[in-house]
Amino acid sequence: QVQLVESGGGSVQAGGSLTLSCAASGYSYSRHCWGWFRQVPGKEREAVADIDSDDITSYADNVKGRFTISRDNAKNTLLLQMNSLKPEDTAMYYCAVSHRYCSGIHDYEYNYWGQGTQVTVAP
């Protein structure tokens, strides 16, 4: 079965950087959308960034210019480079993969989800 495993989370001070990774196993679709999401208790899950099979990327307005999403199809790995971190970036971060392209995608259209990795940014 397909499994997604996030790693790279941790605790940093404001202004610091972290790189998250999402390793997929048992996934070999050429058409896809890879996405990063985050969620804090009491709030809705928020889409952070995504990247499709044509390397088209999209970012939430509040992370644009600070975060960079990338992928390695050969390794089925998704990355999220996070710079200039702010306390409001603190959340559980999840990766997800869909069989479709990213344009117009909704979160319920993602087929597989990881268990998350915690990011904590101290003020």
Side-chain angles (χ1 to χ4, degrees):
Q1 294 186 8
V2 173
Q3 291 184 313
L4 303 179
V5 180
E6 300 96 335
S7 62
S11 298
V12 298
Q13 291 186 283
S17 299
L18 283 174
T19 299
L20 307 182
S21 66
C22 172
S25 62
Y27 188 86
S28 60
Y29 294 96
S30 59
R31 176 173 61 107
H32 60 249
C33 178
W34 296 64
W36 283 102
F37 297 81
R38 64 187 183 187
Q39 188 170 30
V40 298
K43 292 186 177 294
E44 294 183 351
R45 183 172 56 206
E46 175 189 14
V48 176
D50 60 40
I51 182 169
D52 69 14
S53 305
D54 296 322
D55 289 331
I56 303 299
T57 59
S58 181
Y59 297 91
D61 288 341
N62 56 0
V63 306
K64 188 174 297 184
R66 300 188 297 119
F67 291 10
T68 302
I69 188 171
S70 61
R71 61 178 174 84
D72 184 336
N73 282 337
K75 297 181 179 180
N76 284 332
T77 301
L78 179 72
L79 299 174
L80 184 68
Q81 175 66 49
M82 305 185 294
N83 298 320
S84 301
L85 284 163
K86 305 175 181 179
E88 50 263 45
D89 295 318
T90 295
M92 183 71 73
Y93 283 71
Y94 301 90
C95 66
V97 182
S98 174
H99 295 168
R100 55 160 288 178
Y101 289 108
C102 295
S103 181
I105 197 170
H106 297 90
D107 58 1
Y108 59 79
E109 295 179 284
Y110 284 89
N111 301 97
Y112 311 104
W113 292 82
Q115 294 300 305
T117 185
Q118 179 67 40
V119 172
T120 302
V121 184

